[in-house]
Structure formats: structure tokens, C-alpha cells
Amino acid sequence: MKKVHASAKEALAGVLRDGMTIMAGGFGLCGIPNVLIEAVKESGVKDLTVVSNNAGIDGAGLGLLLETRQIRKMISSYVGENKLFAQQYLAGELELEFNPQGTLAERIRAGGAGIPAFFTKTGVGTLIAEGKEVRNFDGHDYVMETGLFADVSLVHAWKGDTEGNLIYRKTARNFNPMMATASRMTIAQVEHLVEPGALDPDHIITPGIYVKRMIHVPDVEKMIEKRTTREKPAA
Amino acid sequence: MAWTREQMAARAAKELRDGFYVNLGIGIPTLVSNYIPEGMSVQLQSENGMLGMGPFPYEGEEDPDLINAGKQTVTELPTTSFFSSADSFAMVRGGHIDLSILGAMQVAENGDLANWMIPGKMVKGMGGAMDLVAGVKKVVVVMEHVAKGKDGSESPKLLKGCDLPLTGTRVVDMVITDLGVFSIDKEGDGGMTLIELADGVTVDEIKARTEAAFKVAV
């Protein structure tokens, strides 16, 4: 079965529908599946629930889908860098579910691993725990959180072979490996597409079983949100 | 003379121990990395998936795939490892990180912490703060002693109870402000104790600017 598609549009063909839940990897603008997000924008699909740690920035990443009002609800841990998001949220046009970052990561991991719920001490005694079951284990309280599973996951990887085995680069890994496991239709954009055998099997982070479709994005644009540098010491 | 931001960071650095794995929050906590004593091995964790965080890159060497949790470009060290967000928070939640240094809006005398949300204002989200304070072995808050309003008015940040939505309950072990250092008995009923004064600051001055009850052991 051929996993590699010629374009993002072709890779998304037949999988998008209004009201669906999409996971999008990335932390800030690092490791985001930007080419696939652009294709979601062009498809015009709407009323989306999007699971992603952040909501992009104005004009980039998931910010693109906010401009076109294709997102109905976000499940995120931090959305501070996006003015359009704030506007739409305060106007009541956008629903928002905040999850603590580690709880979000674990909900996705659990969802992909067939675990419907788990207990964590994160958020006990806070707004996050309201309405959720709290149980005591060994003298400590833990709140129950549920696994997350999406209709489609969009991920970015550094290298991938045509079987869908993926390797990530540096901190661009972030949420991508868990999201790759937590949907029935995971689509990966890879910077370097290679033949099976070219990747060291010991280095593969996401086994190809999780990846249904892929595209090759050799010249993908990577943005830096906060460029910070230091002075070179005098020679 | 109250402590400057740099002096507060330097004081927080005294909580570091050789071999510690440490997570630093944004703002003054980030400055603590400038005060790691020579010869002490401390590895910085960045919750977006990196252990062993290096300094900012030289200009022209920035890598969009290499950022910290504040989304700033950083560098690797020989000790660096990368991992997923799930692995990162397993490390945090599982109690493997020795020390978390972070900022706060309010701290209560029992160790309750509020630092993510002001009702009625745009909420940016808690990010990893709730996970960090719930899971890390020792939590140190570094903050200004009082909040200053636009009209110059002051409101205390060390309170009997927080009125802002909480980030965690009974999570703070120590508070370092521009006026002094407090320890908190978060597990027991020992409450808050003033253990150090900033240079030239008096106990009476701190009492006047603190709502929380505290014992004095300076």
C-alpha cells in the first residue's frame, strides 16, 4: 500500500469533514505540520475541534485556520501568542479547553495506547479538577483524566521512510510522536523522505504502523518565534 | 535596599545542589542559570522536550528546531537529550526533577500557588506550570513582594489564602522576594517562616507589606 502522496491536498483527500477532531503536532512554531495545515485551510473544512499545545501565531501555523474561522474549539495548554485567538475567544466565537501541558501530552499518549482514563496529581484542588473524579492512592489525591483520540492527526518529522517510520529532530519532536499514535488517520510531512533500510531501525521513534499517509516537504519553511542570541566572545 | 532581580536570581541559585536536574520558569527564574556555581553540575530541563539546555546561540547559529519552553532559541550541550512531551512530563510528574523555580501572582501561607489566571482578563493558559508544581520535588517561587497597581497602590502577594484561581494546592516550599526569603511547611501545619532579610530590610517593613501570617527566624 502506497503511503507517500504527491501533495498535501492529495494526502488529505477524502479524510476531511466538517465537525471533525484534528490533532496537530508542534510546540509554538517548532515542529508544526505547517504544509498540511495550509492544505486544511484550502479545503475549507469547518467547525473543527483542534487538539494542539498552542494555537500558532497570527498568520502562521494554526493561526491560519483561525483567520478563516474553521476552528470551533481548541484543546490546548497555552495560547498566549495569538491576538486573533483572543479576539475570537472573547467574542464567544471560539470554544477553549485548557489542559495542563503534561496532562494534555498524557491524554494523547493514553488515547493512542488504548487507555481510556488515568489518574494524575496535576491540577488537584484547581479549576481543572472541577467535575472530575478524584481518588486517593497511598494518602494522596489524584484527578481522573480521559484519553484523547482524534479523527485525523497531522505531524511533522525530520526523516521518514516510505513505510512511514519516522525520526524527529531536536525539540521539534514535542507532541508529534504521541499524536501520531492517537488517530485512525495520521498524516506526516517529512523533510527527508528515504527508502526502507536507509534509517537505522534503532533510531526510529514512530514505527510506520501509526502513519497512514505521508508527504515530502524538502524545502519546508521553519519559523523562529523568539530569536535569542548571545555575543561571541572576542577572539 | 531591597534586592534587585539579579540578586533574587543569585539567592535562588543557592538552592542548587551538585547533580540537580532543574526546571526554570520564564522571567527572573531564567536568570538563575547565570549563577550556577563554578564546578557544580546542574542540568536544566526544558519541558518542551530537552534535558541539558545550553545558552543562547551565537548570532547566525539559531536553529528553529532547537528552542526552550519560552520558545527562545537555545543550544545543545554534550549532556543534552531530547524526548517527547509525554516523556518530558513523565519526568516532571514522576518526581524525577529536583527543583522547579518559577514566578507567581500569589502564594498563600499553606503553600497554595496562583500564577496562571486572572478572571475577567484574557487567559493565556497554564502551560506546564500545574504539572511542574504538582510533580517536582522542591518548588521555589521568585517574585516581587507586592503587586504594584498602575496608580502606584500596592497589594500583598503573600496571603492567608489566594483569591486567584490556583495552580496547585500546598505546593510551594520557598518564596524569594525582593525583601527576603520565606520557607513554607507545605506538608504539615508549620505555615510560613521568614528565614532571611534582604540587605537593609527590616522585619517590621516585611510585616507591613505581607498579609500572610509568618514566624520569624532570621
Side-chain angles (χ1 to χ4, degrees), chain A residues 54 77-79 101-102 120 122 169-171 174-175 222 226 228-230, chain B residues 56-57 62-63 65 67 71-73 76 85 89 93 124-127 131:
Chain A
N54 313 94
S77 86
Y78 189 84
V79 296
Q101 196 175 134
T120 173
T122 301
R169 183 170 180 273
K170 304 186 189 285
T171 56
N174 54 63
F175 282 81
K222 296 187 198 173
K226 293 180 187 165
T228 43
T229 58
R230 74 189 141 124
Chain B
F56 293 153
E62 308 91 324
D63 183 340
D65 289 339
I67 63 169
K71 286 137 194 163
Q72 298 169 314
T73 45
E76 307 177 356
S85 302
F89 283 96
R93 206 187 299 105
K124 293 182 170 186
M126 71 291 282
D131 308 279

PDB file of all heavy atoms in Angstrom, chain A residues 54 77-79 101-102 120 122 169-171 174-175 222 226 228-230, chain B residues 56-57 62-63 65 67 71-73 76 85 89 93 124-127 131:
ATOM      1  N   ASN A  54      -0.434  24.617  21.327  1.00  0.00           N
ATOM      2  CA  ASN A  54      -0.620  26.061  21.148  1.00  0.00           C
ATOM      3  C   ASN A  54      -1.508  26.285  19.936  1.00  0.00           C
ATOM      4  O   ASN A  54      -1.876  25.343  19.251  1.00  0.00           O
ATOM      5  CB  ASN A  54       0.730  26.757  20.940  1.00  0.00           C
ATOM      6  CG  ASN A  54       1.775  26.320  21.944  1.00  0.00           C
ATOM      7  OD1 ASN A  54       2.557  25.418  21.678  1.00  0.00           O
ATOM      8  ND2 ASN A  54       1.760  26.930  23.105  1.00  0.00           N
ATOM      9  N   SER A  77      -2.747  23.927  25.894  1.00  0.00           N
ATOM     10  CA  SER A  77      -2.278  24.293  27.241  1.00  0.00           C
ATOM     11  C   SER A  77      -1.898  25.763  27.332  1.00  0.00           C
ATOM     12  O   SER A  77      -1.861  26.329  28.417  1.00  0.00           O
ATOM     13  CB  SER A  77      -1.069  23.431  27.654  1.00  0.00           C
ATOM     14  OG  SER A  77       0.156  23.966  27.201  1.00  0.00           O
ATOM     15  N   TYR A  78      -1.606  26.391  26.174  1.00  0.00           N
ATOM     16  CA  TYR A  78      -1.155  27.791  26.225  1.00  0.00           C
ATOM     17  C   TYR A  78      -1.417  28.437  24.872  1.00  0.00           C
ATOM     18  O   TYR A  78      -0.996  27.923  23.839  1.00  0.00           O
ATOM     19  CB  TYR A  78       0.341  27.842  26.563  1.00  0.00           C
ATOM     20  CG  TYR A  78       0.843  29.239  26.837  1.00  0.00           C
ATOM     21  CD1 TYR A  78       0.709  29.802  28.094  1.00  0.00           C
ATOM     22  CD2 TYR A  78       1.438  29.991  25.830  1.00  0.00           C
ATOM     23  CE1 TYR A  78       1.167  31.093  28.349  1.00  0.00           C
ATOM     24  CE2 TYR A  78       1.892  31.280  26.079  1.00  0.00           C
ATOM     25  CZ  TYR A  78       1.756  31.827  27.340  1.00  0.00           C
ATOM     26  OH  TYR A  78       2.199  33.087  27.588  1.00  0.00           O
ATOM     27  N   VAL A  79      -2.120  29.567  24.878  1.00  0.00           N
ATOM     28  CA  VAL A  79      -2.480  30.202  23.605  1.00  0.00           C
ATOM     29  C   VAL A  79      -2.075  31.680  23.583  1.00  0.00           C
ATOM     30  O   VAL A  79      -2.630  32.475  22.840  1.00  0.00           O
ATOM     31  CB  VAL A  79      -4.002  30.081  23.343  1.00  0.00           C
ATOM     32  CG1 VAL A  79      -4.394  28.630  23.181  1.00  0.00           C
ATOM     33  CG2 VAL A  79      -4.807  30.729  24.457  1.00  0.00           C
ATOM     34  N   GLN A 101      -0.148  21.128  30.396  1.00  0.00           N
ATOM     35  CA  GLN A 101       0.618  20.585  29.271  1.00  0.00           C
ATOM     36  C   GLN A 101       0.935  19.094  29.418  1.00  0.00           C
ATOM     37  O   GLN A 101       0.827  18.334  28.456  1.00  0.00           O
ATOM     38  CB  GLN A 101       1.910  21.388  29.130  1.00  0.00           C
ATOM     39  CG  GLN A 101       2.591  21.179  27.813  1.00  0.00           C
ATOM     40  CD  GLN A 101       3.800  22.078  27.658  1.00  0.00           C
ATOM     41  OE1 GLN A 101       4.857  21.632  27.248  1.00  0.00           O
ATOM     42  NE2 GLN A 101       3.663  23.335  27.994  1.00  0.00           N
ATOM     43  N   GLY A 102       1.310  18.696  30.625  1.00  0.00           N
ATOM     44  CA  GLY A 102       1.633  17.287  30.835  1.00  0.00           C
ATOM     45  C   GLY A 102       0.395  16.405  30.774  1.00  0.00           C
ATOM     46  O   GLY A 102       0.443  15.257  30.312  1.00  0.00           O
ATOM     47  N   THR A 120      -3.948  11.517  37.736  1.00  0.00           N
ATOM     48  CA  THR A 120      -2.744  12.344  37.880  1.00  0.00           C
ATOM     49  C   THR A 120      -2.925  13.326  39.030  1.00  0.00           C
ATOM     50  O   THR A 120      -4.042  13.761  39.317  1.00  0.00           O
ATOM     51  CB  THR A 120      -2.432  13.125  36.581  1.00  0.00           C
ATOM     52  OG1 THR A 120      -1.359  14.037  36.829  1.00  0.00           O
ATOM     53  CG2 THR A 120      -3.634  13.936  36.096  1.00  0.00           C
ATOM     54  N   THR A 122      -1.606  16.258  38.900  1.00  0.00           N
ATOM     55  CA  THR A 122      -1.626  17.600  38.305  1.00  0.00           C
ATOM     56  C   THR A 122      -3.033  18.189  38.347  1.00  0.00           C
ATOM     57  O   THR A 122      -3.972  17.574  37.855  1.00  0.00           O
ATOM     58  CB  THR A 122      -1.154  17.546  36.842  1.00  0.00           C
ATOM     59  OG1 THR A 122       0.157  17.022  36.800  1.00  0.00           O
ATOM     60  CG2 THR A 122      -1.189  18.933  36.210  1.00  0.00           C
ATOM     61  N   ARG A 169      13.638  15.672  14.925  1.00  0.00           N
ATOM     62  CA  ARG A 169      14.899  16.385  15.151  1.00  0.00           C
ATOM     63  C   ARG A 169      14.775  17.347  16.335  1.00  0.00           C
ATOM     64  O   ARG A 169      13.895  18.192  16.365  1.00  0.00           O
ATOM     65  CB  ARG A 169      15.289  17.156  13.889  1.00  0.00           C
ATOM     66  CG  ARG A 169      16.616  17.867  14.000  1.00  0.00           C
ATOM     67  CD  ARG A 169      17.076  18.424  12.641  1.00  0.00           C
ATOM     68  NE  ARG A 169      18.347  19.105  12.792  1.00  0.00           N
ATOM     69  CZ  ARG A 169      18.450  20.397  13.137  1.00  0.00           C
ATOM     70  NH1 ARG A 169      17.375  21.125  13.320  1.00  0.00           N
ATOM     71  NH2 ARG A 169      19.631  20.945  13.305  1.00  0.00           N
ATOM     72  N   LYS A 170      15.657  17.193  17.316  1.00  0.00           N
ATOM     73  CA  LYS A 170      15.798  18.084  18.467  1.00  0.00           C
ATOM     74  C   LYS A 170      14.430  18.352  19.128  1.00  0.00           C
ATOM     75  O   LYS A 170      13.636  17.433  19.286  1.00  0.00           O
ATOM     76  CB  LYS A 170      16.533  19.367  18.058  1.00  0.00           C
ATOM     77  CG  LYS A 170      17.911  19.065  17.430  1.00  0.00           C
ATOM     78  CD  LYS A 170      18.720  20.307  17.137  1.00  0.00           C
ATOM     79  CE  LYS A 170      19.967  19.960  16.316  1.00  0.00           C
ATOM     80  NZ  LYS A 170      21.015  19.310  17.098  1.00  0.00           N
ATOM     81  N   THR A 171      14.147  19.621  19.488  1.00  0.00           N
ATOM     82  CA  THR A 171      12.884  19.878  20.196  1.00  0.00           C
ATOM     83  C   THR A 171      11.687  19.971  19.254  1.00  0.00           C
ATOM     84  O   THR A 171      10.582  20.281  19.697  1.00  0.00           O
ATOM     85  CB  THR A 171      12.961  21.164  21.050  1.00  0.00           C
ATOM     86  OG1 THR A 171      13.329  22.258  20.212  1.00  0.00           O
ATOM     87  CG2 THR A 171      13.963  21.023  22.184  1.00  0.00           C
ATOM     88  N   ASN A 174       8.542  17.091  20.325  1.00  0.00           N
ATOM     89  CA  ASN A 174       7.447  17.505  21.219  1.00  0.00           C
ATOM     90  C   ASN A 174       6.191  16.617  21.177  1.00  0.00           C
ATOM     91  O   ASN A 174       6.233  15.470  21.623  1.00  0.00           O
ATOM     92  CB  ASN A 174       7.143  19.005  21.057  1.00  0.00           C
ATOM     93  CG  ASN A 174       6.849  19.451  19.641  1.00  0.00           C
ATOM     94  OD1 ASN A 174       5.870  19.017  19.051  1.00  0.00           O
ATOM     95  ND2 ASN A 174       7.697  20.328  19.111  1.00  0.00           N
ATOM     96  N   PHE A 175       5.082  17.107  20.689  1.00  0.00           N
ATOM     97  CA  PHE A 175       3.822  16.344  20.724  1.00  0.00           C
ATOM     98  C   PHE A 175       3.646  15.396  19.531  1.00  0.00           C
ATOM     99  O   PHE A 175       2.685  14.645  19.478  1.00  0.00           O
ATOM    100  CB  PHE A 175       2.618  17.296  20.778  1.00  0.00           C
ATOM    101  CG  PHE A 175       2.364  17.878  22.138  1.00  0.00           C
ATOM    102  CD1 PHE A 175       3.098  18.961  22.593  1.00  0.00           C
ATOM    103  CD2 PHE A 175       1.405  17.333  22.990  1.00  0.00           C
ATOM    104  CE1 PHE A 175       2.877  19.504  23.853  1.00  0.00           C
ATOM    105  CE2 PHE A 175       1.183  17.859  24.245  1.00  0.00           C
ATOM    106  CZ  PHE A 175       1.918  18.952  24.687  1.00  0.00           C
ATOM    107  N   LYS A 222      10.736  26.985   8.134  1.00  0.00           N
ATOM    108  CA  LYS A 222      10.661  26.855   9.600  1.00  0.00           C
ATOM    109  C   LYS A 222      10.827  28.235  10.209  1.00  0.00           C
ATOM    110  O   LYS A 222      11.816  28.913   9.956  1.00  0.00           O
ATOM    111  CB  LYS A 222      11.769  25.938  10.103  1.00  0.00           C
ATOM    112  CG  LYS A 222      11.667  24.508   9.603  1.00  0.00           C
ATOM    113  CD  LYS A 222      12.721  23.697  10.322  1.00  0.00           C
ATOM    114  CE  LYS A 222      13.004  22.405   9.593  1.00  0.00           C
ATOM    115  NZ  LYS A 222      14.144  21.707  10.210  1.00  0.00           N
ATOM    116  N   LYS A 226      10.909  33.365  18.845  1.00  0.00           N
ATOM    117  CA  LYS A 226      11.692  34.312  19.655  1.00  0.00           C
ATOM    118  C   LYS A 226      13.167  34.053  19.410  1.00  0.00           C
ATOM    119  O   LYS A 226      13.749  33.127  19.969  1.00  0.00           O
ATOM    120  CB  LYS A 226      11.354  34.158  21.139  1.00  0.00           C
ATOM    121  CG  LYS A 226       9.928  34.597  21.452  1.00  0.00           C
ATOM    122  CD  LYS A 226       9.571  34.454  22.903  1.00  0.00           C
ATOM    123  CE  LYS A 226       8.084  34.741  23.093  1.00  0.00           C
ATOM    124  NZ  LYS A 226       7.601  34.277  24.400  1.00  0.00           N
ATOM    125  N   THR A 228      16.705  34.485  20.085  1.00  0.00           N
ATOM    126  CA  THR A 228      17.560  34.963  21.183  1.00  0.00           C
ATOM    127  C   THR A 228      18.986  34.510  20.899  1.00  0.00           C
ATOM    128  O   THR A 228      19.212  33.355  20.536  1.00  0.00           O
ATOM    129  CB  THR A 228      17.101  34.395  22.531  1.00  0.00           C
ATOM    130  OG1 THR A 228      16.790  33.009  22.386  1.00  0.00           O
ATOM    131  CG2 THR A 228      15.859  35.116  23.039  1.00  0.00           C
ATOM    132  N   THR A 229      19.956  35.407  21.053  1.00  0.00           N
ATOM    133  CA  THR A 229      21.349  35.084  20.783  1.00  0.00           C
ATOM    134  C   THR A 229      22.226  35.647  21.876  1.00  0.00           C
ATOM    135  O   THR A 229      21.771  36.405  22.731  1.00  0.00           O
ATOM    136  CB  THR A 229      21.817  35.677  19.436  1.00  0.00           C
ATOM    137  OG1 THR A 229      21.631  37.096  19.479  1.00  0.00           O
ATOM    138  CG2 THR A 229      21.018  35.120  18.260  1.00  0.00           C
ATOM    139  N   ARG A 230      23.490  35.264  21.851  1.00  0.00           N
ATOM    140  CA  ARG A 230      24.477  35.872  22.768  1.00  0.00           C
ATOM    141  C   ARG A 230      25.653  36.367  21.950  1.00  0.00           C
ATOM    142  O   ARG A 230      25.866  35.925  20.821  1.00  0.00           O
ATOM    143  CB  ARG A 230      24.898  34.858  23.834  1.00  0.00           C
ATOM    144  CG  ARG A 230      25.819  33.781  23.312  1.00  0.00           C
ATOM    145  CD  ARG A 230      26.038  32.674  24.323  1.00  0.00           C
ATOM    146  NE  ARG A 230      26.062  31.405  23.610  1.00  0.00           N
ATOM    147  CZ  ARG A 230      27.086  30.532  23.665  1.00  0.00           C
ATOM    148  NH1 ARG A 230      28.100  30.766  24.431  1.00  0.00           N
ATOM    149  NH2 ARG A 230      27.036  29.405  22.967  1.00  0.00           N
TER     150      ARG A 230
ATOM    151  N   PHE B  56      21.974  30.666  24.943  1.00  0.00           N
ATOM    152  CA  PHE B  56      21.500  31.164  23.648  1.00  0.00           C
ATOM    153  C   PHE B  56      22.594  30.956  22.596  1.00  0.00           C
ATOM    154  O   PHE B  56      23.782  31.025  22.921  1.00  0.00           O
ATOM    155  CB  PHE B  56      21.167  32.661  23.734  1.00  0.00           C
ATOM    156  CG  PHE B  56      19.991  32.987  24.617  1.00  0.00           C
ATOM    157  CD1 PHE B  56      19.893  34.236  25.234  1.00  0.00           C
ATOM    158  CD2 PHE B  56      18.964  32.078  24.827  1.00  0.00           C
ATOM    159  CE1 PHE B  56      18.824  34.552  26.050  1.00  0.00           C
ATOM    160  CE2 PHE B  56      17.889  32.386  25.629  1.00  0.00           C
ATOM    161  CZ  PHE B  56      17.814  33.626  26.247  1.00  0.00           C
ATOM    162  N   PRO B  57      22.210  30.753  21.340  1.00  0.00           N
ATOM    163  CA  PRO B  57      23.212  30.554  20.281  1.00  0.00           C
ATOM    164  C   PRO B  57      23.883  31.869  19.895  1.00  0.00           C
ATOM    165  O   PRO B  57      23.357  32.947  20.171  1.00  0.00           O
ATOM    166  CB  PRO B  57      22.382  30.015  19.115  1.00  0.00           C
ATOM    167  CG  PRO B  57      21.010  30.576  19.332  1.00  0.00           C
ATOM    168  CD  PRO B  57      20.827  30.655  20.824  1.00  0.00           C
ATOM    169  N   GLU B  62      21.240  30.255  15.082  1.00  0.00           N
ATOM    170  CA  GLU B  62      19.946  29.883  15.632  1.00  0.00           C
ATOM    171  C   GLU B  62      19.362  28.714  14.830  1.00  0.00           C
ATOM    172  O   GLU B  62      19.479  28.675  13.613  1.00  0.00           O
ATOM    173  CB  GLU B  62      18.949  31.049  15.574  1.00  0.00           C
ATOM    174  CG  GLU B  62      19.442  32.347  16.167  1.00  0.00           C
ATOM    175  CD  GLU B  62      20.121  33.238  15.141  1.00  0.00           C
ATOM    176  OE1 GLU B  62      20.807  32.721  14.240  1.00  0.00           O
ATOM    177  OE2 GLU B  62      19.947  34.458  15.231  1.00  0.00           O
ATOM    178  N   ASP B  63      18.733  27.775  15.526  1.00  0.00           N
ATOM    179  CA  ASP B  63      18.138  26.598  14.887  1.00  0.00           C
ATOM    180  C   ASP B  63      16.645  26.572  15.242  1.00  0.00           C
ATOM    181  O   ASP B  63      16.299  26.469  16.417  1.00  0.00           O
ATOM    182  CB  ASP B  63      18.837  25.339  15.420  1.00  0.00           C
ATOM    183  CG  ASP B  63      18.336  24.069  14.750  1.00  0.00           C
ATOM    184  OD1 ASP B  63      17.226  24.084  14.174  1.00  0.00           O
ATOM    185  OD2 ASP B  63      19.058  23.060  14.820  1.00  0.00           O
ATOM    186  N   ASP B  65      14.615  24.325  15.107  1.00  0.00           N
ATOM    187  CA  ASP B  65      14.239  23.062  15.753  1.00  0.00           C
ATOM    188  C   ASP B  65      14.776  22.951  17.177  1.00  0.00           C
ATOM    189  O   ASP B  65      14.655  21.896  17.801  1.00  0.00           O
ATOM    190  CB  ASP B  65      14.788  21.874  14.948  1.00  0.00           C
ATOM    191  CG  ASP B  65      14.072  21.686  13.626  1.00  0.00           C
ATOM    192  OD1 ASP B  65      12.933  22.180  13.483  1.00  0.00           O
ATOM    193  OD2 ASP B  65      14.657  21.042  12.732  1.00  0.00           O
ATOM    194  N   ILE B  67      14.520  24.988  20.575  1.00  0.00           N
ATOM    195  CA  ILE B  67      14.003  26.098  21.384  1.00  0.00           C
ATOM    196  C   ILE B  67      13.725  25.620  22.801  1.00  0.00           C
ATOM    197  O   ILE B  67      13.629  24.414  23.065  1.00  0.00           O
ATOM    198  CB  ILE B  67      12.707  26.697  20.771  1.00  0.00           C
ATOM    199  CG1 ILE B  67      11.566  25.670  20.743  1.00  0.00           C
ATOM    200  CG2 ILE B  67      12.980  27.252  19.383  1.00  0.00           C
ATOM    201  CD1 ILE B  67      10.206  26.251  20.414  1.00  0.00           C
ATOM    202  N   LYS B  71      10.009  29.357  24.045  1.00  0.00           N
ATOM    203  CA  LYS B  71      10.083  29.463  22.579  1.00  0.00           C
ATOM    204  C   LYS B  71      11.292  30.255  22.110  1.00  0.00           C
ATOM    205  O   LYS B  71      11.339  30.732  20.980  1.00  0.00           O
ATOM    206  CB  LYS B  71       8.785  30.042  21.997  1.00  0.00           C
ATOM    207  CG  LYS B  71       7.658  29.014  22.036  1.00  0.00           C
ATOM    208  CD  LYS B  71       6.350  29.601  22.499  1.00  0.00           C
ATOM    209  CE  LYS B  71       5.367  28.501  22.854  1.00  0.00           C
ATOM    210  NZ  LYS B  71       4.258  28.959  23.665  1.00  0.00           N
ATOM    211  N   GLN B  72      12.284  30.426  22.994  1.00  0.00           N
ATOM    212  CA  GLN B  72      13.526  31.117  22.627  1.00  0.00           C
ATOM    213  C   GLN B  72      14.517  30.116  22.034  1.00  0.00           C
ATOM    214  O   GLN B  72      14.573  28.963  22.480  1.00  0.00           O
ATOM    215  CB  GLN B  72      14.170  31.738  23.872  1.00  0.00           C
ATOM    216  CG  GLN B  72      13.309  32.789  24.546  1.00  0.00           C
ATOM    217  CD  GLN B  72      13.863  33.169  25.900  1.00  0.00           C
ATOM    218  OE1 GLN B  72      14.229  32.308  26.692  1.00  0.00           O
ATOM    219  NE2 GLN B  72      13.942  34.464  26.168  1.00  0.00           N
ATOM    220  N   THR B  73      15.331  30.570  21.079  1.00  0.00           N
ATOM    221  CA  THR B  73      16.375  29.704  20.531  1.00  0.00           C
ATOM    222  C   THR B  73      17.437  29.445  21.593  1.00  0.00           C
ATOM    223  O   THR B  73      17.862  30.361  22.303  1.00  0.00           O
ATOM    224  CB  THR B  73      17.029  30.355  19.299  1.00  0.00           C
ATOM    225  OG1 THR B  73      17.299  31.740  19.595  1.00  0.00           O
ATOM    226  CG2 THR B  73      16.112  30.297  18.088  1.00  0.00           C
ATOM    227  N   GLU B  76      22.565  23.095  22.312  1.00  0.00           N
ATOM    228  CA  GLU B  76      22.782  21.803  22.982  1.00  0.00           C
ATOM    229  C   GLU B  76      24.088  21.835  23.759  1.00  0.00           C
ATOM    230  O   GLU B  76      24.975  22.642  23.490  1.00  0.00           O
ATOM    231  CB  GLU B  76      22.968  20.668  21.985  1.00  0.00           C
ATOM    232  CG  GLU B  76      21.946  20.501  20.973  1.00  0.00           C
ATOM    233  CD  GLU B  76      22.277  19.371  19.987  1.00  0.00           C
ATOM    234  OE1 GLU B  76      23.364  18.754  20.047  1.00  0.00           O
ATOM    235  OE2 GLU B  76      21.418  19.146  19.157  1.00  0.00           O
ATOM    236  N   SER B  85       7.007  15.264  24.526  1.00  0.00           N
ATOM    237  CA  SER B  85       6.310  15.964  25.610  1.00  0.00           C
ATOM    238  C   SER B  85       5.785  14.987  26.652  1.00  0.00           C
ATOM    239  O   SER B  85       5.759  15.300  27.843  1.00  0.00           O
ATOM    240  CB  SER B  85       5.158  16.787  25.040  1.00  0.00           C
ATOM    241  OG  SER B  85       5.629  17.715  24.094  1.00  0.00           O
ATOM    242  N   PHE B  89       6.957  15.141  30.614  1.00  0.00           N
ATOM    243  CA  PHE B  89       6.091  15.306  31.785  1.00  0.00           C
ATOM    244  C   PHE B  89       6.024  14.049  32.634  1.00  0.00           C
ATOM    245  O   PHE B  89       5.618  14.122  33.799  1.00  0.00           O
ATOM    246  CB  PHE B  89       4.721  15.834  31.367  1.00  0.00           C
ATOM    247  CG  PHE B  89       4.789  17.307  31.068  1.00  0.00           C
ATOM    248  CD1 PHE B  89       4.953  17.763  29.780  1.00  0.00           C
ATOM    249  CD2 PHE B  89       4.768  18.228  32.092  1.00  0.00           C
ATOM    250  CE1 PHE B  89       5.074  19.114  29.503  1.00  0.00           C
ATOM    251  CE2 PHE B  89       4.888  19.585  31.843  1.00  0.00           C
ATOM    252  CZ  PHE B  89       5.036  20.034  30.541  1.00  0.00           C
ATOM    253  N   ARG B  93       6.159  14.766  36.401  1.00  0.00           N
ATOM    254  CA  ARG B  93       5.107  14.223  37.258  1.00  0.00           C
ATOM    255  C   ARG B  93       5.630  13.100  38.132  1.00  0.00           C
ATOM    256  O   ARG B  93       5.180  12.903  39.259  1.00  0.00           O
ATOM    257  CB  ARG B  93       3.965  13.708  36.366  1.00  0.00           C
ATOM    258  CG  ARG B  93       2.617  13.673  36.987  1.00  0.00           C
ATOM    259  CD  ARG B  93       1.623  12.982  36.071  1.00  0.00           C
ATOM    260  NE  ARG B  93       1.416  13.615  34.788  1.00  0.00           N
ATOM    261  CZ  ARG B  93       1.897  13.164  33.623  1.00  0.00           C
ATOM    262  NH1 ARG B  93       2.630  12.065  33.556  1.00  0.00           N
ATOM    263  NH2 ARG B  93       1.653  13.795  32.503  1.00  0.00           N
ATOM    264  N   LYS B 124      -4.156  33.086  29.137  1.00  0.00           N
ATOM    265  CA  LYS B 124      -3.222  32.518  28.158  1.00  0.00           C
ATOM    266  C   LYS B 124      -3.073  31.015  28.296  1.00  0.00           C
ATOM    267  O   LYS B 124      -2.688  30.337  27.360  1.00  0.00           O
ATOM    268  CB  LYS B 124      -1.865  33.191  28.303  1.00  0.00           C
ATOM    269  CG  LYS B 124      -1.880  34.668  27.896  1.00  0.00           C
ATOM    270  CD  LYS B 124      -0.515  35.285  28.014  1.00  0.00           C
ATOM    271  CE  LYS B 124      -0.509  36.676  27.370  1.00  0.00           C
ATOM    272  NZ  LYS B 124       0.856  37.231  27.355  1.00  0.00           N
ATOM    273  N   GLY B 125      -3.360  30.520  29.496  1.00  0.00           N
ATOM    274  CA  GLY B 125      -3.214  29.086  29.724  1.00  0.00           C
ATOM    275  C   GLY B 125      -2.150  28.803  30.749  1.00  0.00           C
ATOM    276  O   GLY B 125      -1.295  29.645  31.017  1.00  0.00           O
ATOM    277  N   MET B 126      -2.204  27.605  31.326  1.00  0.00           N
ATOM    278  CA  MET B 126      -1.262  27.260  32.392  1.00  0.00           C
ATOM    279  C   MET B 126       0.014  26.628  31.850  1.00  0.00           C
ATOM    280  O   MET B 126       0.977  26.475  32.589  1.00  0.00           O
ATOM    281  CB  MET B 126      -1.920  26.328  33.413  1.00  0.00           C
ATOM    282  CG  MET B 126      -2.172  24.905  32.926  1.00  0.00           C
ATOM    283  SD  MET B 126      -3.458  24.829  31.660  1.00  0.00           S
ATOM    284  CE  MET B 126      -4.938  24.983  32.642  1.00  0.00           C
ATOM    285  N   GLY B 127       0.048  26.282  30.562  1.00  0.00           N
ATOM    286  CA  GLY B 127       1.236  25.602  30.052  1.00  0.00           C
ATOM    287  C   GLY B 127       1.580  24.418  30.925  1.00  0.00           C
ATOM    288  O   GLY B 127       0.694  23.634  31.283  1.00  0.00           O
ATOM    289  N   ASP B 131       1.637  20.968  36.150  1.00  0.00           N
ATOM    290  CA  ASP B 131       2.356  19.695  36.210  1.00  0.00           C
ATOM    291  C   ASP B 131       3.637  19.843  37.021  1.00  0.00           C
ATOM    292  O   ASP B 131       3.983  18.985  37.830  1.00  0.00           O
ATOM    293  CB  ASP B 131       2.720  19.225  34.798  1.00  0.00           C
ATOM    294  CG  ASP B 131       1.526  19.200  33.868  1.00  0.00           C
ATOM    295  OD1 ASP B 131       0.775  18.224  33.922  1.00  0.00           O
ATOM    296  OD2 ASP B 131       1.336  20.166  33.105  1.00  0.00           O
TER     297      ASP B 131
END
